[in-house]
Amino acid sequence: MSQIFKKMSFSTSNKNFIDITQDIERELQKLNIKSGLLNLSVLHTSCSLLVQENADPTVQLDIKNFLEEIAPEKNYIHNSEGPDDMPAHLKSLLTQSHLSLSFKNKKLILGTWQGIFLLEHRVSNKIRTVQLHFIGD
């Protein structure tokens, strides 16, 4: 049994979905681990990780619109980093900051239409860090 930790950084902006599936798969190919578990953790409080539809971009648009409706920019008490700050925290509260996925024969086990996404909840450009923790044989 082996454990390997890696960090990956991604440039984000303007409340976008970033498909990070291939980036993670490339890291998996470099390892001496064939099968096991991968834990992903985004090391920020105003963005999220999602497993979601990767074929039709209108799904992502509908999710972004839903999150804007449920956590709009308005007059929150916490606004030290701007009007999109508190809504970003609320959106990350409603989504996920950690994912656990299985992999077998160096391939992630995902459904046909599933991808792994980093969802930025802030407007301004950011560098986001994702911690990868591989456990397996």
Side-chain angles (χ1 to χ4, degrees):
M1 184 72 64
S2 295
Q3 294 190 55
I4 298 172
F5 290 88
K6 293 192 172 228
K7 285 185 181 177
M8 299 180 76
S9 294
F10 299 93
S11 297
T12 66
S13 66
N14 204 23
K15 303 179 184 179
N16 280 325
F17 275 70
I18 300 169
D19 188 339
I20 62 172
T21 311
Q22 289 184 349
D23 299 287
I24 293 166
E25 288 175 336
R26 277 193 291 277
E27 288 301 315
L28 183 56
Q29 293 305 311
K30 297 176 187 176
L31 303 179
N32 291 328
I33 300 174
K34 186 176 176 183
S35 297
L37 295 172
L38 166 60
N39 186 65
L40 299 165
S41 300
V42 65
L43 303 179
H44 307 277
T45 60
S46 56
C47 60
S48 302
L49 294 169
L50 302 172
V51 172
Q52 198 46 257
E53 164 84 44
N54 67 356
D56 184 348
T58 61
V59 171
Q60 297 167 21
L61 181 59
D62 284 338
I63 291 170
K64 286 187 341 187
N65 289 339
F66 170 77
L67 290 171
E68 287 299 315
E69 286 178 27
I70 201 162
E73 290 184 20
K74 63 179 191 173
N75 190 20
Y76 292 99
I77 296 168
H78 174 75
N79 64 3
S80 59
E81 295 181 44
D84 68 334
D85 188 28
M86 191 61 212
H89 291 294
L90 294 172
K91 292 169 189 172
S92 66
L93 168 84
L94 297 170
T95 52
Q96 303 167 68
S97 59
H98 305 281
L99 297 173
S100 292
L101 300 166
S102 298
F103 59 94
K104 184 177 179 183
N105 297 321
K106 292 192 170 276
K107 293 189 179 200
L108 291 170
I109 299 175
L110 290 167
T112 302
W113 308 113
Q114 290 181 321
I116 304 166
F117 294 89
L118 174 60
L119 177 50
E120 179 58 65
H121 300 303
R122 300 293 305 272
V123 174
S124 61
N125 297 345
K126 303 284 183 195
I127 302 295
R128 300 302 195 172
T129 302
V130 178
Q131 175 76 53
L132 290 75
H133 180 186
F134 298 92
I135 305 166
D137 297 315

